[in-house]
């Protein structure tokens, strides 16, 4: 039986998946929808950042052999690439190979608005006995319809549109809605030492968040301050101390270095940064001009003012994309319920290998792969996504009629 497939997202997981499906020769057509103008749109936004993990953890054997044999691309597998290296030397060459395949159709500058079943509403056939044989209908931002037997949501999380709110409890703070229009408020990691240097040098910047994106920006701001002492830095975190868990003999040296650096600052041993711990949310934003930002934290009447506000508190999965389907999400992560049961700790290197059953959703022939399958959890690694694709390949290699 031939299948038609739709892949939402042409990032690393979407492209690697398309390559794996192409090898199976079971799909008559594979549509790949990407809202950016080329593959790896999310990566392009942080291409100046160096990854924690080496090449060998971020590429598949099939992908590596494809770019080497087709384009002569090669890389040292133990070296750690930047986002730009990954795009230039791996993902874009893979996409060029896929474009040459007759069953692969890319749809760039195309955002998918929703996925449903053609002949069934969400409340129909709740046992799924009939709807599993029905085609999926995919609608894009121009209200064009596409149909497929199988749909893979690989759309990821990293987007301003998926930002979390800054108010307590995860809801908006007063005045936050108008804040989104301020050009000096940033929800993606900033190239502070590169093209955005003039925007931060000699300015007062507040960074909110205690993940690796946050501490990466704090570190960049400190480097900038060493050149221009008038640069001011405030770092606001939920935890007061030791927000970064460290692991004995951590093989990801860059991760361990940042973790140590972040915990040192939170202990008060760095006088160049004003660190505020115990943050539970922002109460309200001021109504000043768009050139200056001011706000009050919960349980504190002091107003904090800054020129730049860098928000690094994570992202939410866009589950509205498949709200018309039968998909069981975890109540705590908003990722797949079956995947959440495998995430036992915060160390991304010790996550359980995804099983085939963990990837099957309650909507037959609909799959959520990549970081979106983890939902709010930040412990996803690209190597885990590659393991997910291996399981998908095994599944579609068998008799699934």
């Amino acid at each position: 039986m031939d299948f038609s497939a739709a892949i939402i997202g042409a990032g690393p997981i979407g492209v690697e998946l398309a390559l794996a499906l192409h090898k199976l020769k079971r799909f008559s057509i594979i549509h790949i929808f990407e809202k950016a103008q080329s593959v790896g749109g999310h990566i392009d936004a942080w291409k100046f950042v160096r990854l924690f993990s080496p090449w060998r953890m971020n590429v598949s054997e099939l992908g590596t052999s494809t770019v080497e044999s087709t384009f002569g691309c090669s890389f040292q597998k133990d070296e750690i690439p930047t986002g730009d290296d990954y795009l230039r030397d791996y993902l874009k060459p893979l996409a060029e190979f896929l474009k040459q395949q007759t069953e692969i159709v890319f749809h760039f500058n195309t955002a998918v608005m929703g996925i449903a079943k053609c002949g069934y509403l969400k409340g129909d056939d709740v046992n799924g006995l009939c709807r599993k044989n029905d085609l999926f209908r995919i609608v894009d931002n121009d209200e064009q319809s596409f149909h497929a037997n199988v749909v893979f949501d690989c759309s990821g999380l990293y987007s301003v549109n998926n930002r979390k709110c800054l108010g307590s409890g995860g809801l908006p703070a007063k005045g936050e809605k108008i804040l989104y229009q301020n050009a000096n408020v940033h929800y993606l990691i900033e190239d502070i030492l590169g093209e955005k240097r003039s925007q931060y040098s000699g300015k007062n910047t507040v960074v909110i968040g205690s993940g690796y994106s946050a501490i990466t920006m704090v570190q960049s701001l400190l480097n900038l301050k060493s050149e221009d002492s008038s640069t001011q830095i405030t770092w606001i975190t939920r935890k007061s101390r030791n927000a970064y868990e460290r692991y004995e003999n951590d093989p990801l040296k860059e991760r361990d270095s940042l973790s140590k650096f972040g915990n040192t600052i939170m202990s008060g041993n760095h006088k160049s940064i004003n660190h505020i711990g115990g943050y539970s949310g922002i109460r309200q934003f001021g109504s000043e001009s768009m050139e200056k930002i001011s706000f009050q934290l919960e349980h504190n009447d002091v107003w904090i003012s800054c020129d730049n506000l860098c928000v690094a508190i994570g992202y939410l999965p866009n589950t509205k994309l498949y709200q018309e389907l039968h998909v069981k999400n975890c109540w705590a992560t908003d990722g797949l319920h079956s995947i959440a049961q495998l995430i036992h700790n915060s160390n991304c290197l010790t996550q359980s290998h995804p099983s085939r059953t963990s990837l099957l959703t309650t909507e037959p022939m609909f799959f959520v792969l990549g970081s979106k399958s983890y939902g709010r959890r930040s412990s996803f690694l690209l190597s885990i996504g590659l393991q997910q694709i291996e399981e998908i390949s095994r599944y579609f290699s068998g008799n699934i009629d």
Side-chain angles (χ1 to χ4, degrees), residues 45 48 158-164 166 176 178-192 195-201 203-209 213-214 217 221 282 285 290-291 293 295 306-315:
F48 50 89
Y158 192 72
S159 170
V160 172
N161 295 328
N162 296 335
R163 60 185 178 261
K164 290 182 179 178
L166 286 162
E176 187 170 351
I178 192 73
L179 188 76
Y180 298 151
Q181 304 172 24
N182 192 316
N184 296 320
V185 179
H186 311 282
Y187 295 90
L188 306 178
I189 190 168
E190 288 280 278
D191 189 8
I192 292 170
E195 62 180 37
K196 297 292 186 72
R197 178 182 292 263
S198 62
Q199 185 174 335
Y200 290 91
S201 181
K203 300 295 177 63
N204 182 358
T205 298
V206 172
V207 178
I208 301 179
S213 292
M217 288 190 284
L221 287 166
I282 291 177
F285 287 91
M290 299 297 281
E291 296 180 1
I293 304 161
F295 57 89
C306 60
D307 301 301
N308 299 294
L309 178 61
C310 296
V311 182
I313 59 175
Y315 307 94

Side-chain angles (χ1 to χ4, degrees), residues 291-364:
E291 296 180 1
K292 204 75 174 178
I293 304 161
S294 64
F295 57 89
Q296 285 180 310
L297 299 177
E298 289 286 2
H299 314 300
N300 194 326
D301 293 330
V302 176
W303 283 91
I304 299 173
S305 297
C306 60
D307 301 301
N308 299 294
L309 178 61
C310 296
V311 182
I313 59 175
Y315 307 94
L316 302 172
N318 177 16
T319 57
K320 290 184 177 180
L321 205 62
Y322 52 78
Q323 66 182 0
E324 296 302 321
L325 299 178
H326 292 172
V327 180
K328 185 179 181 181
N329 287 326
C330 172
W331 55 268
T333 68
D334 287 327
L336 291 182
H337 183 268
S338 54
I339 292 289
Q341 296 174 313
L342 300 177
I343 308 173
H344 303 298
N345 56 61
S346 59
N347 188 353
C348 54
L349 292 180
T350 58
Q351 302 299 322
S352 299
H353 190 290
S355 65
R356 184 178 307 181
T357 54
S358 71
L359 300 177
L360 297 176
T361 69
T362 41
E363 184 71 74

